[in-house]
Amino acid sequence: MITAHSHDNDGNAAIRLFCEMQRDGFRPDNFTFTSVISAVGLVAESEKHCQQLHSRELFDGMAEKLVVAWNAMISGYVHRGLLQEAFKMFKKMYLSGVQFDEFTYTSIISACANASFLLLGRQIHAYILIKMRVKDLVSWNAMLSSYVNSGRMNEAKEIFQEMPEKNLLTWAVMIAGLAQNGLGEESLKLFNLMKLQGFQPCDYAFAGAITSCAALGSLKSGRQLHSQLIRLGFECSLSAGNALITMYGRCGVVGDARNLFLTMSFVDSVSWNAMIAALGQHGHGVQAVELFEEMLKEGILPDRITFLTVLSACSHAGLVEEGHRYFDAMHDIYGITPGEDHYARMVDLLCRAGKFSDANDMIGKMPFQPGPQIWEAFLAGCRNHGNMELGIQAAERLFEMIPQNDGTYILLSNMYAAKGLWDNVSRVRKLMRDQGVKKEPACSWVEAENKFHVFMVDDTAHPEVNAVYSYLKQLVLEMRKLGYVPDTRFVLHDMESDQKEHAISTHSEKLAVAFGLLKLPRGATVRVFKNLRICGDCHNAIKYISKVVGREIVVRDGKRFHHFKDGECSCRNYW
DNA sequence: GTAGGGTTAG
C-alpha cells in the first residue's frame, strides 16, 4: 500500500501510512524502507506530513543497503534539487562497492543536466561511458540533453552518433540544440534526415527547425514548415506556434507574425513576449507598448523577459518616458527585481536618446557593480552621438573587463575615424593586434533561387560577383543623380579618398542587396541579413537604392530591422 | 521496493 501511494506520487499518503504501521507495532523491512525513502523524496520539506521523518535517517538505519535503496536516496535528492547531496551519495555508493545500475545512472545524469556541475558531470560521464556499455534510451537522451543545454555541441554530436537507438525525443533535442547554438543549417539537415529515416517529426522537432529558419532568415523554409505543420495536425501546438511567431518576425514579415498570433487557438506568455519582441525589433515601439498593455488587461502576468522586450522596443523607438515608467512598474507593481540586463536596456534607451547624464544616474542607482553589458550599451550610445570623452571612459572599462571583445576596439576606432583622428584609429588597431583580438568578419546573406547567397566585404568568392559589381556601379550612377554622396567616415582605415569610396562601395550588405535585386522576381521585396550592425553609409545608400529601383528592401542587422522604401527607412535614422 | 529524457519568448 505504501508503494502504491508512492507510485501515485502521493508521498504524504505513503508517509502517513508508514507512521501508522510503526504505531501499530509492525517492523518495516528493507522493501518498506525503500518505498518510504522514495516517498519522502517526493515531498518538499515544508509540506511533509511528518517533519521528523528524514530519508537519510531511514537509510542510515537500514541493516543491509541494496542498490535499490541507494537509488531511492539519490533520486530523492535530485527530485528536491539537492544536487550536491545527490553527488555525495553517489560517491559514497561507489566507495561502498555497491554496483550501479541504470536507475543510478539516469538519476545522476539528470543531476548533471540540471546543474552547472559540468566538470563533475564530465568525470561521471566518462566513468559511465566506460563502465556501462548498455544504457537504455532514456539515459542516452538525458546525457544528450545535458550536453545540448550546456552548449557543448561537439560532444552532443558524438553522443548522437554513438547512440545505438534513437526516438522522437532524441531527434527533437538535437534539432533544437543545433538551432539554439547557431547551427541552423545543420539543424534543418537533421530535420530532413529524421524524416528520411522514417520518423514523423513531433511538434518539438518542428519548433526546433522553425527556430533555425528564424536565425537564418529563411522565410521560404519557414513557410514550408508552417504548412507541413498544419497538414500533420499540429496547428494547435504552442511551442511550434510560438516559434513561428518569432520566425515570421525575424524573417522580416511582422504582419504574418501578427496574423498568426491573432488566429492561434491558445497563446501563453511566451507567445505574447514573442509578438512584442517582433514589433520592437521592427521599430514599432508604440504598437509593442500597446500590445503589452493589452497583455496586462487580459490578466497575463509579465515576466523578466516581457520587460526586456518592452524596454528594447522603447529603446528602438525612442520612447524614453514609457521606458522609465515600465522599468519602475516592473519592480513596484510586478515585484520583479531588475537584473543587469534590464539596467543595460535602460542605459541603451537613455544613451541612444543622448541622455548621458540620466544614464549615469541610472548606473549610479544600480545595486551592483556595472558589468560589460552596461558599458557596451553606453559605448554604443556614445558612438552614435559622437561623445568621445564618455566613449573613451566606457571603452577603458570594457578593455579591463573583457579585453578579448572585438566590439570595443571597433566602436572606439569608428569614433576616432568619424572625427578624422586617424592616428588614434591606428593606435586602437595596433592595440587590437597586440592583444590578439580579431574582428568578427562582416557578412550579409540573401535567399534567392532556393538557396542562401553569402557575401563578405569586397567579395571575390561568390560565382556571380562580377555581375553584382557592375550592377552596383550602374545603381550608384543613378543614386548620385538623386543626391547620394558616399560617406567615407565609415571606412576603418586611413587611405586616399577614392580608395575610401571603393572600400565602402564593396560592403557586404550592398553586395547582397544588389544580388537580391538582380535575382528575385521583379517587384519582390528583397530581404537581406547581416551578422553585424549595418554601416552608416550602407544605410544611406540603400535608402537611395530603394528609390531608384522602386522596391522595398528589408535589412535585418545584428540588432534590428530596417525597412527601406521610397528613399526612407522605417527606423527614421534612430538606431 | 528504486528512475529518467523534450519545446517555444530575450
Side-chain angles (χ1 to χ4, degrees):
Chain A
M1 196 59 214
I2 292 173
T3 310
H5 282 308
S6 199
H7 282 178
D8 284 347
N9 278 331
D10 193 347
N12 263 328
I15 292 170
R16 237 176 258 133
L17 213 57
F18 177 70
C19 296
E20 249 173 69
M21 178 183 178
Q22 283 183 311
R23 209 178 40 230
D24 292 352
F26 288 98
R27 275 184 63 82
D29 61 7
N30 258 341
F31 288 68
T32 324
F33 275 125
T34 312
S35 271
V36 179
I37 288 171
S38 159
V40 174
L42 292 172
V43 189
E45 193 64 28
S46 57
E47 289 162 12
K48 212 161 58 184
H49 167 70
C50 170
Q51 301 288 335
Q52 274 70 49
L53 200 56
H54 296 293
S55 46
R56 187 56 193 263
E57 282 163 18
L58 294 170
F59 179 77
D60 287 343
M62 285 173 78
E64 192 192 14
K65 296 179 181 67
L66 297 174
V67 57
V68 195
W70 287 98
N71 290 345
M73 279 305 295
I74 293 173
S75 68
Y77 283 136
V78 175
H79 196 263
R80 279 176 290 173
L82 303 169
L83 303 176
Q84 290 283 18
E85 295 300 321
F87 286 124
K88 268 190 223 158
M89 198 42 106
F90 182 70
K91 195 170 170 190
K92 222 174 150 192
M93 179 176 178
Y94 171 74
L95 294 174
S96 79
V98 177
Q99 287 294 308
F100 304 138
D101 66 7
E102 64 268 38
F103 284 68
T104 330
Y105 289 124
T106 329
S107 290
I108 213 72
I109 292 168
S110 155
C112 296
N114 282 327
S116 29
F117 293 127
L118 221 43
L119 197 62
L120 194 49
R122 267 170 78 81
Q123 290 167 352
I124 292 171
H125 172 201
Y127 181 80
I128 292 173
L129 282 182
I130 295 161
K131 285 296 268 196
M132 188 182 181
R133 299 307 305 174
V134 188
K135 278 196 286 283
D136 68 353
L137 185 51
V138 177
S139 316
W140 275 107
N141 283 342
M143 185 99 84
L144 181 69
S145 67
S146 78
Y147 278 102
V148 162
N149 289 337
S150 51
R152 308 169 78 99
M153 290 312 291
N154 285 333
E155 280 120 321
K157 284 184 206 170
E158 276 169 32
I159 302 265
F160 187 77
Q161 289 300 329
E162 203 182 332
M163 287 175 71
E165 57 167 332
K166 300 177 174 65
N167 65 4
L168 274 182
L169 213 133
T170 319
W171 289 93
V173 168
M174 198 59 196
I175 289 166
L178 290 165
Q180 282 156 7
N181 288 285
L183 302 167
E185 280 170 293
E186 280 183 59
S187 158
L188 291 178
K189 271 190 203 140
L190 206 65
F191 183 80
N192 288 325
L193 187 64
M194 172 181 189
K195 289 192 287 190
L196 284 175
Q197 297 208 351
F199 287 94
Q200 158 98 263
C202 58
D203 61 335
Y204 291 121
F206 268 100
I210 292 166
T211 302
S212 299
C213 297
L216 296 167
S218 179
L219 185 55
K220 200 158 192 165
S221 317
R223 285 202 203 281
Q224 278 167 4
L225 287 170
H226 191 176
S227 52
Q228 281 176 38
L229 196 71
I230 293 171
R231 274 205 304 281
L232 292 173
F234 290 128
E235 220 179 334
C236 296
S237 158
L238 252 183
S239 44
N242 292 341
L244 280 167
I245 295 175
T246 302
M247 185 278 291
Y248 283 127
R250 303 249 296 139
C251 287
V253 288
V254 70
D256 290 39
R258 174 145 234 169
N259 287 341
L260 178 67
F261 176 71
L262 292 174
T263 51
M264 274 167 71
S265 34
F266 306 103
V267 289
D268 62 2
S269 64
V270 176
S271 329
W272 286 88
N273 291 351
M275 195 58 229
I276 294 169
L279 291 167
Q281 285 154 7
H282 285 268
H284 304 313
V286 175
Q287 290 179 38
V289 164
E290 281 170 4
L291 194 67
F292 173 60
E293 293 288 349
E294 211 178 305
M295 173 180 182
L296 300 180
K297 265 188 223 132
E298 300 252 334
I300 296 162
L301 267 186
D303 56 20
R304 308 182 58 80
I305 292 172
T306 316
F307 283 103
L308 282 178
T309 60
V310 171
L311 294 176
S312 284
C314 291
S315 175
H316 287 304
L319 304 174
V320 176
E321 214 174 286
E322 289 83 348
H324 268 301
R325 206 170 61 230
Y326 293 131
F327 184 79
D328 292 341
M330 168 167 67
H331 179 262
D332 299 346
I333 303 178
Y334 299 98
I336 301 172
T337 313
E340 189 183 343
D341 39 4
H342 295 100
Y343 279 99
R345 302 294 157 114
M346 283 308 286
V347 171
D348 184 70
L349 168 72
L350 295 167
C351 290
R352 223 187 266 274
K355 298 178 180 301
F356 292 103
S357 72
D358 290 0
N360 264 327
D361 291 348
M362 184 55 88
I363 295 173
K365 269 191 278 181
M366 282 173 43
F368 36 75
Q369 285 296 314
Q373 286 188 56
I374 302 288
W375 295 118
E376 278 182 313
F378 205 96
L379 177 58
C382 292
R383 187 244 180 276
N384 279 354
H385 290 273
N387 191 330
M388 193 69 89
E389 197 192 329
L390 292 177
I392 292 171
Q393 287 174 19
E396 275 168 358
R397 314 234 180 184
L398 285 168
F399 287 143
E400 284 163 25
M401 289 183 204
I402 40 171
Q404 293 303 307
N405 179 43
D406 60 338
T408 316
Y409 300 87
I410 302 298
L411 280 174
L412 190 60
S413 147
N414 281 344
M415 285 179 80
Y416 286 131
K419 294 221 154 109
L421 300 168
W422 298 107
D423 287 350
N424 289 343
V425 171
S426 19
R427 237 178 5 125
V428 175
R429 293 274 152 171
K430 182 172 181 308
L431 181 65
M432 191 171 174
R433 267 197 311 278
D434 293 348
Q435 298 279 330
V437 179
K438 290 231 160 37
K439 178 186 186 291
E440 184 185 348
C443 73
S444 301
W445 63 96
V446 59
E447 191 177 31
E449 297 174 336
N450 288 323
K451 58 185 259 199
F452 282 110
H453 299 267
V454 184
F455 294 90
M456 313 298 287
V457 190
D458 201 12
D459 197 287
T460 51
H462 192 276
E464 295 180 70
V465 82
N466 289 333
V468 171
Y469 283 124
S470 69
Y471 181 53
L472 255 181
K473 262 193 191 140
Q474 277 179 43
L475 278 176
V476 171
L477 289 178
E478 297 297 315
M479 287 151 63
R480 282 188 186 267
K481 285 185 199 157
L482 294 178
Y484 168 67
V485 180
D487 189 343
T488 53
R489 286 175 308 164
F490 296 100
V491 221
L492 297 175
H493 300 281
D494 197 15
M495 44 180 113
E496 297 303 318
S497 79
D498 56 335
Q499 284 178 311
K500 282 186 189 163
E501 278 192 24
H502 173 75
I504 49 169
S505 73
T506 64
H507 277 180
S508 65
E509 52 268 54
K510 288 193 182 91
L511 304 183
V513 166
F515 185 82
L517 288 169
L518 281 173
K519 292 292 171 179
L520 289 168
R522 187 177 289 274
T525 302
V526 176
R527 293 173 221 285
V528 165
F529 302 84
K530 184 181 177 185
N531 60 342
L532 307 175
R533 294 290 302 273
I534 189 171
C535 131
D537 178 66
C538 290
H539 190 260
N540 188 34
I542 298 170
K543 283 195 223 166
Y544 281 96
I545 295 177
S546 73
K547 192 160 180 129
V548 168
V549 299
R551 279 165 77 167
E552 199 178 337
I553 299 166
V554 179
V555 179
R556 181 181 92 190
D557 71 11
K559 289 273 183 209
R560 60 165 295 159
F561 278 88
H562 302 268
H563 292 255
F564 299 93
K565 202 180 171 186
D566 293 329
E568 293 298 329
C569 177
S570 60
C571 77
R572 297 191 306 275
N573 300 332
Y574 193 86
W575 50 288

